[in-house]
Amino acid sequence: MKLSVSNDELLATFTPVLVYWIYSGIFMILGDLNNYRLHTKAEEESKNVVTKTTVLKGVLLQQSIHITLSLLFYTITGSDKTTSTQQSSSLFVFILQFFVAMVVLDTCQYFTHRLMHMNQFLYKHVHSQHHTLIVPYAFGALYNHPLEGFFSDAVAGAIAVAISGMSPRAATVFFSFTTMKTVDDHCGLWLPGNLFHLCFANNCAFHDIHHQLYGLKRNFSNPYFVTWDKLLGTYMPYKLEKREKGGYEARPIAYSKTE
């Protein structure tokens, strides 16, 4: 076992945390953007049952746990010297590893997420913390119970890295990208030209459906694809409708005003 971690492993540990606050900070700087919100500001204030101070403390706790577990993971699994082959993988290998890690992470998170909704004890005592944010916002993306963060994020992430064979440098890119995607999924804004919305069916509107009462047992997939939901019958189709006073509303098709 190593007694220390390398600079690359430190980057893989701390860079996603920095990315989280930079990207969520951009949404805060942008302001309310009422013409692009999936919920009004009034709904955000009235429906959410925890304060932003509580959410901030919860996210910082979650990230502290992630940092500790990441350093422990690299201490246990890392070699004393990273080979040049690991660090200079071809672009093709990197893309393949990235895709494998995406599929593995999606699979782990779908089934842990679904379990936490289907098991009443786990939902009441663990996952319900995340759903106190009925109207999600960017920096609340990681507002989870520590136990959920351990299994759904830390363990799932470690499995994805191990199976894909990523080096710490590749893991830095992967987890930074995943962090941005997770923040974006909770931002509550349908912004024009958003590349995440163009590239992924799993987006903030898809996830917003899940945060509503009628969608609690649907749309479990995150953070990338909707494959498992569609294969296992938990996908809830929806459409975006413009509100009269500005903004959008993600509505299940069965509930659509135009149906």
Side-chain angles (χ1 to χ4, degrees), residues 11 14-26 63 172-173 175-181 183:
L11 280 175
F14 289 99
T15 301
V17 175
L18 183 61
V19 168
Y20 185 92
W21 291 110
I22 291 175
Y23 195 53
S24 60
I26 290 173
Q63 290 178 327
T172 300
V173 178
F175 286 123
S176 295
F177 187 75
T178 301
T179 295
M180 291 180 65
K181 179 68 172 60
V183 169

Side-chain angles (χ1 to χ4, degrees), residues 38-39 131 134 136 185 203-220 234-240 249-253 255:
L38 297 178
H39 295 271
H131 280 274
I134 298 170
D185 289 345
N203 50 48
C204 65
F206 170 88
H207 195 63
D208 183 75
I209 292 290
H210 174 72
H211 270 259
Q212 308 313 306
L213 182 61
Y214 50 73
L216 283 178
K217 294 188 177 181
R218 296 290 187 272
N219 292 9
F220 297 121
T234 54
Y235 178 74
M236 179 175 280
Y238 65 92
K239 63 170 58 176
L240 280 175
E249 184 175 4
R251 297 176 62 87
I253 288 177
Y255 292 82

Side-chain angles (χ1 to χ4, degrees), residues 7-256:
N7 289 336
D8 287 336
E9 291 164 345
L10 289 174
L11 280 175
T13 299
F14 289 99
T15 301
V17 175
L18 183 61
V19 168
Y20 185 92
W21 291 110
I22 291 175
Y23 195 53
S24 60
I26 290 173
F27 285 110
M28 288 188 281
I29 291 172
L30 288 175
D32 293 339
L33 295 176
N34 293 321
N35 288 332
Y36 303 103
R37 292 179 63 92
L38 297 178
H39 295 271
T40 65
K41 191 68 175 178
E43 287 177 322
E44 180 183 305
E45 299 296 332
S46 63
K47 290 186 176 182
N48 291 339
V49 297
V50 288
T51 66
K52 289 187 176 179
T53 300
T54 300
V55 171
L56 176 61
K57 292 178 180 178
V59 172
L60 291 175
L61 173 62
Q62 189 85 327
Q63 290 178 327
S64 298
I65 294 172
H66 286 180
I67 289 170
T68 302
L69 292 174
S70 178
L71 294 175
L72 181 62
F73 172 78
Y74 283 121
T75 298
I76 294 173
T77 64
S79 61
D80 291 322
K81 182 178 180 181
T82 304
T83 66
S84 58
T85 302
Q86 288 177 307
Q87 294 295 1
S88 59
S89 297
S90 68
L91 180 60
F92 173 78
V93 171
F94 172 74
I95 293 173
L96 179 61
Q97 290 176 331
F98 201 101
F99 179 74
V100 170
M102 290 171 75
V103 172
V104 173
L105 186 62
D106 254 35
T107 300
C108 291
Q109 292 204 346
Y110 174 86
F111 287 102
T112 55
H113 190 190
R114 180 171 178 170
L115 175 64
M116 288 185 184
H117 276 274
M118 296 306 183
N119 184 290
Q120 292 184 0
F121 178 86
L122 289 177
Y123 182 80
K124 179 179 179 180
H125 296 285
V126 179
H127 188 56
S128 62
Q129 176 174 323
H130 183 68
H131 280 274
T132 56
L133 293 180
I134 298 170
V135 179
Y137 48 81
F139 81 81
L142 285 183
Y143 182 62
N144 298 316
H145 189 282
L147 190 62
E148 177 178 357
F150 175 75
F151 285 105
S152 185
D153 295 331
V155 173
I159 293 173
V161 168
I163 291 179
S164 65
M166 282 183 166
S167 69
R169 288 185 187 179
T172 300
V173 178
F174 175 71
F175 286 123
S176 295
F177 187 75
T178 301
T179 295
M180 291 180 65
K181 179 68 172 60
T182 301
V183 169
D184 201 87
D185 289 345
H186 291 81
C187 72
L189 295 171
W190 192 262
L191 296 174
N194 186 320
L195 292 178
F196 287 126
H197 298 167
L198 296 175
C199 296
F200 297 99
N202 191 331
N203 50 48
C204 65
F206 170 88
H207 195 63
D208 183 75
I209 292 290
H210 174 72
H211 270 259
Q212 308 313 306
L213 182 61
Y214 50 73
L216 283 178
K217 294 188 177 181
R218 296 290 187 272
N219 292 9
F220 297 121
S221 295
N222 59 33
Y224 289 113
F225 311 114
V226 298
T227 308
W228 285 113
D229 276 310
K230 288 190 173 182
L231 286 175
L232 299 180
T234 54
Y235 178 74
M236 179 175 280
Y238 65 92
K239 63 170 58 176
L240 280 175
E241 298 178 348
K242 286 191 174 183
R243 290 196 301 264
E244 291 182 2
K245 295 184 179 181
Y248 297 90
E249 184 175 4
R251 297 176 62 87
I253 288 177
Y255 292 82
S256 174

